[in-house]
Amino acid sequence: MAKIKMKKKSTSTDMTAMCDVAFLLLTFFILTATAKVPEALPVDMPASVAEFKLPDTDLAIITVGKGADGKSKVFFDLKGRELRKRSLEGMGAKFGVTFTEDDKTKFALMDDFGVPVANLKQIIAMKASERVKANQPGIPIDSLDNQLKEWLLVSRRAAIDIDDKELQIAIKGDAKEQYPQIKKIMDILQDQKINSFNLVTGTRGKDF
């Protein structure tokens, strides 16, 4: 008896629909993604295996590193739009600088900065790309003009007024930064009875 031969069917699959979906997803992610703005004071952080996620709000980050001119500088950043607005208002009142509502809105969207309060309006008026290239001298931390101390005082009060929470502090220092400069920051914190703070580090693989 003769065997019935089954007709072979093509195994090819039409991938047109799959390619369309892939390109649509790719287009969506490209259009919705936001480019990371370069840091105004980039630092090479020391490596660590510890992992702890910093909060997105009620956080102050103090960055210590050397600028393009080779001088050690201190920059300051606050996480939380309302916190930034309230802190700017407080610093303006303390140093006699008037900030408009537009200034406060732009400042709330900014990243770290490193200028005295008197020059802050100029930095706020810049575009993000211009701000990164601007020569910011750093926030004064001298004994006669310690504006970092004032920023911490004002922002801590603002955090309590907004959320009734204590402001968390983080120090992000360059791995090659000399210890005396970091110690100055720690002394400022301890003068305000801040004995608990975080040190921001880069990730490093664990050695087994």
Side-chain angles (χ1 to χ4, degrees), residues 136-166:
Q136 301 186 47
I139 295 176
I141 57 171
D142 299 331
S143 56
L144 297 177
D145 185 19
N146 195 336
Q147 293 192 18
L148 178 61
K149 180 185 76 172
E150 300 300 333
W151 273 109
L152 287 168
L153 282 170
V154 169
S155 57
R156 290 177 71 195
R157 289 172 187 154
I160 292 174
D161 290 342
I162 297 168
D163 297 323
D164 197 22
K165 291 182 180 179
E166 184 65 32

Side-chain angles (χ1 to χ4, degrees), residues 44-100:
D44 182 16
M45 297 176 290
S48 171
V49 296
E51 293 184 4
F52 176 74
K53 190 177 185 306
L54 293 172
D56 296 326
T57 58
D58 298 320
L59 172 69
I61 301 177
I62 304 167
T63 304
V64 187
K66 285 183 172 57
D69 54 4
K71 294 181 180 179
S72 185
K73 299 179 180 181
V74 175
F75 278 53
F76 190 67
D77 190 16
L78 289 167
K79 299 301 180 184
R81 294 186 182 182
E82 189 61 27
L83 176 63
R84 291 183 72 96
K85 286 183 178 182
R86 296 275 190 97
S87 300
L88 185 65
E89 288 176 0
M91 290 298 288
K94 184 164 285 197
F95 286 87
V97 181
T98 302
F99 294 101
T100 64

Side-chain angles (χ1 to χ4, degrees), residues 161-186:
D161 290 342
I162 297 168
D163 297 323
D164 197 22
K165 291 182 180 179
E166 184 65 32
L167 182 70
Q168 294 196 45
I169 312 294
I171 300 176
K172 185 167 68 172
D174 194 285
K176 297 180 181 179
E177 186 61 47
Q178 295 182 351
Y179 176 71
Q181 188 71 0
I182 301 295
K183 188 177 183 302
K184 280 185 182 179
I185 306 300
M186 292 182 176

Side-chain angles (χ1 to χ4, degrees), residues 24-40:
L24 283 172
L25 287 172
L26 182 62
T27 304
F28 171 77
F29 287 122
I30 290 174
L31 293 176
T32 57
T34 54
K36 183 180 179 183
V37 179
E39 295 178 329

